[in-house]
Amino acid sequence: MVEAGQTRKRKRRTQSAPTVADVARLAGVSPMTVSRVINRETAVMDATRDKVREAIRALDYVPNSAARSLAGGRQSRIALLHSNPSASYLSEFLVGTLQEAGASDAQLVVEHCAAPESAEALAARLDAHRVDAVLLPPPLCDDPALLAVLQARGLPMVQIATGRAVDFAHAVTIDDERAAYAMTRHLIDRGHERIAFITGDTNQTVSSLRLEGYRRALREAGRALAPDLVVEGDFTYRSGLAAAETLLALALPPTAIFASNDDMAAAASAVAHRHGLDVPRQVTIVGYDDTPIATTVWPELTTIRQPIQDMARRGTQLLIAAIEAKRLGRAASVHHECLDFELVLRESDGDRPHD
Amino acid sequence: MVEAGQTRKRKRRTQSAPTVADVARLAGVSPMTVSRVINRETAVMDATRDKVREAIRALDYVPNSAARSLAGGRQSRIALLHSNPSASYLSEFLVGTLQEAGASDAQLVVEHCAAPESAEALAARLDAHRVDAVLLPPPLCDDPALLAVLQARGLPMVQIATGRAVDFAHAVTIDDERAAYAMTRHLIDRGHERIAFITGDTNQTVSSLRLEGYRRALREAGRALAPDLVVEGDFTYRSGLAAAETLLALALPPTAIFASNDDMAAAASAVAHRHGLDVPRQVTIVGYDDTPIATTVWPELTTIRQPIQDMARRGTQLLIAAIEAKRLGRAASVHHECLDFELVLRESDGDRPHD
DNA sequence: GTCCGTGTAGTTAGCGCTAACATTGCCGAC
DNA sequence: GTCGGCAATGTTAGCGCTAACTACACGGAC
């Protein structure tokens, strides 16, 4: 049997999706030009660029990301460190991060940080994974030991939703003080006189910002700050239960309760019902964060929505840019960004009841 | 000018992490042998393997995943399709999937399925992303149109926690009937006579399985099935509120309420409190799923834990295997696996109250 | 001994892309 | 003109790894 002559060996390449070479052939240019078009480089004539774009569309070409990161010498691995048990926060966060990471074909590694672990041990785990940068959602974003260790390793990092942005890390936040101010202002505008506040865990930096926003709104409205209307909570449902009991047992109970998160607001709502009070007809209850529990309980909670996905996306972008800058030896300038919150009006707030 | 001979050009390679070549040099073998050790191939002598392992450890070598998937011609992209608004489910799921995908350097794309979108439109989106296989958490895993379209495209897929596994898809489930049976059995063992059941959304396949488990337990215990003790819900908090009101308004109210998910159990708990009933002293309330709300509300709910992360991990494994099999032209056998659930005892269940 | 089979290793040639350099053509400056 | 400079494109050589082949040693069958 004689060989067919042609296809003597041609190794591998059985599957075949279109490659740059295919596109180049169809467009009548070199593969390099195709690459330039894909990477939006400038030195390509408009006519050429259009031809290539056309060919890409015709072949339904999608670049091979493995080849890109191999050839380009850039493959970034971003770690998402979390200790936060709030699953809803995490999933929003993950979705945002994955979108952005997918677009820049960066790899994401999710690492859970148990409390007792030393920051050094954690950093060692990151090294083992060859991590290039780190995403820090709350409350980890405020852990000084962790921040220090990461800084010492020269890893770019971004604090998400921190109340205390450090100067060596990127940060993407919302303005918690202003958000709490806006919510309190909203309650004032609905006619409420006695507005109570349930604080968050005093160890988290955002807690004091939220309290401060509440205070400023009252101050600016010329209201007295009744100390008995500010009760300490720690972000748990249970603490919300206790705080609401305290508030509703007052001789002159509040007509509105602003809880520093939705879990505590949900608890307050449960306590109000237990006291035979209708929400919002007899007492207004509002929360913060817009976690799933806000729409689970009835009545659904009026609350502050943080753009978690957007924050995650933006944080990831910053990290990818930082990795690139570092690779090029450029000094990375640190960005602190503040995104907009949203006041979400649902069913749990109403006008001040007529006495 | 004569060339210096040696370092004439040597392009690129500035960064340098250790490569197979470095390991090979140190171990005194060829790069191919190193590759064999990494990929656990058999044709390597133990002595050689140990040398290579030693060198890997010494250099702290980590294979370059981009190069691996490029050279190996295998790069899998797995889509996670979700319509489920339950963020907590999603985040557990994502963490499990990411772990497994990271280990096999598969890429994960998360696609949200809005309800009105046609299955075809969705499949087109998958094509655009060059997706190789699809993960289907509930309730999408039971969408016949979607399943059909994916099957037509020949995409491997896995139904997670479905109540109705189809024969052309992999499936990873828990035994909902048996779990509901176990929970009901537990309530019987605590002495309860009048055990109520709040059903889930009747459109989801798991709902009837859970009801069936409840029924079987009562039957086997020789109890009558009181029809007034089974109330329809639809998995929402609000439906749980209504169902619990109905149940507690009965002339002979139940001493235990088994809700088909935690949201409804939390609602039932709120209603019980509103009725001045202590949980669990006067009425026992148990849920299902072990979502975060189970540990948020007080008292914390006794519930059934599904191993969501494990299911996601296993499902991902099955898909990666299926993609590999397909690539090799082997017919993929379909796997249906059933993982263990766990009965999580917390604070919301107690013995039958003494009349 | 020759032969073949088998188990262990090494060689070669890409996977699909892009960095770095090379080339071409065109324009204005001298 | 011719030369430098620039802008648009092409060429070459890998990125780090592994598929597919080759090479060789050993060992038993004939």
Side-chain angles (χ1 to χ4, degrees):
Chain A
M1 270 285 166
V2 189
E3 281 271 15
Q6 289 284 70
T7 326
R8 202 176 55 161
K9 218 174 187 180
R10 194 158 34 120
K11 296 165 87 174
R12 311 209 219 169
R13 185 89 211 282
T14 43
Q15 315 286 331
S16 63
T19 73
V20 265
D22 299 321
V23 175
R25 209 171 307 121
L26 183 61
V29 298
S30 78
M32 197 58 226
T33 302
V34 176
S35 172
R36 287 193 178 102
V37 171
I38 294 169
N39 295 291
R40 332 174 157 282
E41 284 180 29
T42 46
V44 181
M45 285 210 334
D46 285 352
T48 315
R49 186 190 312 276
D50 288 346
K51 267 192 307 185
V52 172
R53 288 240 175 87
E54 183 55 39
I56 288 177
R57 207 167 314 118
L59 294 175
D60 192 21
Y61 166 76
V62 177
N64 177 319
S65 62
R68 260 153 67 98
S69 43
L70 181 57
R74 84 186 84 89
Q75 42 206 315
S76 350
R77 208 182 309 269
I78 294 177
L80 166 53
L81 255 46
H82 69 105
S83 68
N84 195 335
S86 163
S88 41
Y89 196 97
L90 183 58
S91 87
E92 287 275 313
F93 205 94
L94 276 170
V95 170
T97 307
L98 281 170
Q99 269 178 17
E100 199 58 42
S104 324
D105 37 50
Q107 217 180 314
L108 180 67
V109 292
V110 180
E111 288 283 328
H112 184 82
C113 273
E117 188 177 22
S118 78
E120 280 79 11
L122 215 171
R125 268 201 287 160
L126 296 186
D127 285 352
H129 281 297
R130 294 266 188 280
V131 158
D132 301 298
V134 183
L135 277 167
L136 296 169
L140 242 39
C141 56
D142 293 322
D143 183 330
L146 180 57
L147 289 170
V149 167
L150 295 177
Q151 185 194 15
R153 276 199 167 44
L155 284 175
M157 58 192 131
V158 55
Q159 299 175 280
I160 306 290
T162 180
R164 197 187 308 130
V166 296
D167 59 3
F168 53 86
H170 299 274
V172 181
T173 53
I174 63 164
D175 189 335
D176 277 281
E177 195 272 345
R178 209 159 59 79
Y181 174 88
M183 179 63 92
T184 310
R185 184 72 235 166
H186 168 71
L187 297 176
I188 292 170
D189 289 346
R190 299 210 70 164
H192 292 279
E193 297 279 347
R194 294 184 58 75
I195 300 172
F197 187 82
I198 305 178
T199 73
D201 179 358
T202 46
N203 289 325
Q204 288 190 226
T205 52
V206 292
S207 297
S208 54
L209 293 178
R210 293 179 191 176
L211 175 58
E212 193 38 55
Y214 160 80
R215 284 196 173 132
R216 180 164 65 90
L218 292 184
R219 233 177 11 242
E220 292 188 4
R223 304 287 173 81
L225 291 166
D228 57 341
L229 289 184
V230 175
V231 183
E232 193 166 313
D234 63 5
F235 285 136
T236 66
Y237 186 89
R238 193 133 183 208
S239 73
L241 242 32
E245 287 289 1
T246 305
L247 289 170
L248 295 180
L250 288 175
L252 212 58
T255 61
I257 299 177
F258 178 10
S260 291
N261 78 350
D262 291 336
D263 284 9
M264 296 193 298
S269 179
V271 170
H273 286 137
R274 210 172 302 176
H275 281 248
L277 296 170
D278 182 275
V279 178
R281 213 100 41 87
Q282 294 172 279
V283 60
T284 280
I285 291 173
V286 298
Y288 199 109
D289 282 349
D290 199 16
T291 45
I293 201 173
T295 48
T296 301
V297 298
W298 181 86
E300 297 191 354
L301 296 173
T302 286
T303 189
I304 296 283
R305 201 183 89 80
Q306 299 193 48
I308 302 177
Q309 274 194 32
D310 294 339
M311 291 169 104
R313 247 194 304 272
R314 189 66 193 123
T316 307
Q317 281 172 4
L318 288 174
L319 289 184
I320 289 171
I323 293 170
E324 186 66 9
K326 198 172 156 193
R327 198 157 292 167
L328 267 52
R330 277 197 269 111
S333 58
V334 165
H335 288 261
H336 286 186
E337 298 192 3
C338 188
L339 305 187
D340 286 335
F341 60 87
E342 187 186 347
L343 181 54
V344 183
L345 299 176
R346 295 215 179 85
E347 307 161 341
S348 69
D349 70 306
D351 292 333
R352 175 173 62 115
H354 303 281
D355 319 82
Chain B
M1 268 286 165
V2 189
E3 282 273 11
Q6 288 286 69
T7 323
R8 202 173 56 158
K9 221 175 192 179
R10 191 154 43 116
K11 297 163 86 175
R12 308 206 220 172
R13 186 87 210 282
T14 43
Q15 315 287 330
S16 63
T19 73
V20 265
D22 299 320
V23 176
R25 209 171 308 120
L26 183 61
V29 298
S30 79
M32 196 59 228
T33 303
V34 176
S35 172
R36 288 193 177 103
V37 171
I38 294 168
N39 295 291
R40 332 173 157 280
E41 283 179 30
T42 45
V44 181
M45 286 210 332
D46 284 352
T48 314
R49 187 189 312 274
D50 288 347
K51 267 193 306 183
V52 173
R53 290 239 174 88
E54 183 54 40
I56 288 177
R57 207 168 313 119
L59 294 175
D60 191 20
Y61 167 77
V62 177
N64 178 320
S65 62
R68 261 154 67 99
S69 43
L70 181 56
R74 85 186 85 90
Q75 44 206 314
S76 351
R77 208 182 311 268
I78 294 178
L80 165 55
L81 255 45
H82 70 106
S83 67
N84 194 335
S86 162
S88 40
Y89 197 96
L90 183 57
S91 87
E92 288 276 311
F93 205 94
L94 276 170
V95 170
T97 307
L98 280 171
Q99 269 178 17
E100 198 59 42
S104 325
D105 37 50
Q107 216 180 315
L108 179 67
V109 293
V110 180
E111 288 284 326
H112 183 84
C113 271
E117 187 177 22
S118 77
E120 280 79 12
L122 216 171
R125 267 202 288 159
L126 296 187
D127 286 352
H129 281 296
R130 294 266 187 281
V131 158
D132 301 297
V134 183
L135 277 166
L136 296 169
L140 243 40
C141 56
D142 293 323
D143 182 331
L146 180 57
L147 288 170
V149 167
L150 294 177
Q151 185 196 14
R153 278 200 166 44
L155 284 175
M157 58 193 130
V158 56
Q159 299 174 280
I160 306 292
T162 182
R164 197 189 308 129
V166 296
D167 59 2
F168 54 84
H170 300 272
V172 181
T173 55
I174 63 164
D175 190 336
D176 278 280
E177 196 272 344
R178 209 159 58 79
Y181 173 89
M183 179 62 93
T184 310
R185 183 74 235 166
H186 168 70
L187 297 176
I188 292 170
D189 290 346
R190 299 212 69 163
H192 291 280
E193 296 279 345
R194 294 183 59 73
I195 301 172
F197 187 82
I198 305 178
T199 74
D201 179 359
T202 46
N203 289 325
Q204 288 190 227
T205 52
V206 291
S207 297
S208 53
L209 293 177
R210 293 179 192 177
L211 176 58
E212 193 38 56
Y214 159 79
R215 285 199 173 128
R216 180 163 65 90
L218 291 184
R219 236 180 6 245
E220 291 188 5
R223 304 290 172 81
L225 291 166
D228 56 342
L229 288 184
V230 175
V231 182
E232 193 166 314
D234 62 5
F235 285 136
T236 66
Y237 186 88
R238 196 142 180 200
S239 74
L241 241 32
E245 286 289 0
T246 306
L247 288 169
L248 295 181
L250 287 175
L252 213 58
T255 61
I257 299 177
F258 178 10
S260 292
N261 78 350
D262 290 335
D263 284 9
M264 297 193 298
S269 178
V271 170
H273 285 138
R274 208 171 305 177
H275 281 247
L277 296 170
D278 182 276
V279 178
R281 213 98 43 86
Q282 294 173 278
V283 59
T284 280
I285 292 173
V286 299
Y288 198 108
D289 282 349
D290 199 17
T291 45
I293 200 173
T295 47
T296 299
V297 298
W298 182 87
E300 297 191 355
L301 296 173
T302 286
T303 189
I304 296 283
R305 202 184 88 80
Q306 300 191 48
I308 302 177
Q309 274 194 30
D310 293 340
M311 292 170 103
R313 246 193 304 271
R314 188 67 193 124
T316 308
Q317 281 173 3
L318 288 174
L319 289 184
I320 289 171
I323 292 170
E324 185 66 10
K326 199 173 155 192
R327 197 157 294 167
L328 267 51
R330 276 197 268 111
S333 58
V334 164
H335 288 262
H336 287 187
E337 298 192 3
C338 188
L339 305 187
D340 285 336
F341 59 86
E342 187 185 346
L343 181 54
V344 182
L345 299 177
R346 295 214 180 85
E347 306 160 342
S348 70
D349 71 307
D351 293 332
R352 174 173 63 114
H354 304 281
D355 319 83

